[in-house]
């Protein structure tokens, strides 16, 4: 379950491809194979999500006009490209002014909550993850328990128990899957 909490933020933001979200992709690509970096990745993603939310809200100010930053691209000549003229005319690049802020991940949006929905969802997931980890740590501290040595579900099942029966075999493969992913 906790591993899904690490993967969900990346999946949530796959629907919104931008330079802002590239940070999440890089952070989790580096942190998922190494469990010791996951708390750091969660912290980085939490702070970065807050920065994105603030930037998106600031971009909604009436003093920021996307037309000031937009530029029109000129159509290339027929001998400069292999793409047909009809395809070029229907391209978003040549149909009107192009706002470079959209490439970064900013755009004007009137229902602001809908625009921020993915980022707020990701922030909630990351807060939920931190709550789970803190609760586990507090529970262990309060009951004088140590953290499990192996990050598995069934701590007493090893490779030696694989042939002891179907239940132990299933437990071993659950541990193996949990360890790998």
């Amino acid at each position: 379950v906790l591993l899904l909490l690490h993967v969900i933020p990346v999946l949530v933001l796959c629907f919104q491809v931008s330079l802002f979200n590239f940070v999440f992709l890089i952070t989790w690509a580096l942190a998922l194979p190494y469990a010791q970096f996951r708390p750091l990745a969660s912290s980085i993603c939490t702070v970065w999500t807050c920065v994105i939310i603030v930037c998106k809200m600031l971009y909604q100010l009436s003093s920021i006009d996307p037309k000031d930053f937009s530029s029109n691209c000129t159509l290339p000549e027929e001998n400069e490209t292999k793409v047909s003229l009809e395809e070029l005319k229907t391209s978003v690049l040549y149909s009107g002014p192009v706002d470079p802020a959209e490439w970064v991940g900013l755009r004007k949006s009137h229902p602001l909550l809908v625009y921020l929905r993915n980022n707020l969802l990701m922030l909630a997931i990351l807060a939920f993850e931190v709550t789970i980890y803190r609760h586990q740590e507090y529970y262990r501290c309060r009951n004088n328990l140590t953290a499990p040595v192996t990050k598995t579900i069934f701590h007493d099942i090893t490779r030696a128990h694989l042939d002891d029966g179907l239940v132990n075999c299933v437990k071993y493969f659950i541990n193996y899957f949990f360890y790998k992913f």
Side-chain angles (χ1 to χ4, degrees):
V1 172
L2 291 177
L3 182 63
L4 285 175
L5 291 176
H6 294 296
V7 175
I8 289 174
V10 176
L11 294 176
V12 166
L13 295 172
C14 285
F15 298 110
Q16 205 175 19
V17 179
S18 68
L19 183 64
F20 274 152
N21 295 335
F22 187 67
V23 173
F24 299 117
L25 182 67
I26 294 298
T27 303
W28 286 112
L30 297 175
L32 278 178
Y34 306 105
Q36 67 267 23
F37 294 130
R38 290 179 191 161
L40 177 64
S42 291
S43 299
I44 289 170
C45 288
T46 302
V47 171
W48 189 245
T49 302
C50 293
V51 167
I52 290 174
I53 290 171
V54 169
C55 289
K56 285 182 175 184
M57 290 174 70
L58 287 174
Y59 194 75
Q60 302 304 313
L61 293 174
S62 60
S63 61
I64 297 176
D65 188 16
K67 293 177 186 174
D68 295 340
F69 309 111
S70 299
S71 62
N72 285 328
C73 296
T74 57
L75 281 170
E77 298 294 325
E78 284 188 46
N79 59 353
E80 293 177 344
T81 182
K82 293 181 180 179
V83 181
S84 69
L85 191 60
E86 292 79 26
E87 287 182 61
L88 289 175
K89 287 182 180 179
T90 59
S91 171
V92 175
L93 190 61
Y94 303 112
S95 63
V98 177
D99 185 12
E102 287 188 27
W103 181 75
V104 173
L106 301 173
R107 63 179 166 85
K108 291 282 188 176
S109 180
H110 293 291
L112 187 59
L113 191 58
V114 173
Y115 178 51
L116 295 175
R117 179 184 54 220
N118 288 341
N119 296 103
L120 293 173
L121 177 64
M122 185 169 159
L123 198 59
I125 290 169
L126 290 168
F128 182 64
E129 176 199 17
V130 168
T131 303
I132 289 172
Y133 280 125
R134 295 277 166 89
H135 181 268
Q136 287 176 343
E137 185 179 328
Y138 176 70
Y139 180 80
R140 288 183 186 125
C141 185
R142 186 179 56 191
N143 295 323
N144 292 328
L145 300 173
T146 59
V149 177
T150 61
K151 303 284 185 183
T152 58
I153 297 174
F154 304 106
H155 305 295
D156 57 339
I157 301 294
T158 62
R159 172 72 173 93
H161 297 96
L162 183 60
D163 296 327
D164 288 346
L166 187 61
V167 174
N168 285 342
C169 181
V170 169
K171 286 181 180 179
Y172 173 77
F173 281 113
I174 289 173
N175 277 350
Y176 185 75
F177 176 79
F178 194 74
Y179 161 76
K180 281 294 186 183
F181 296 102

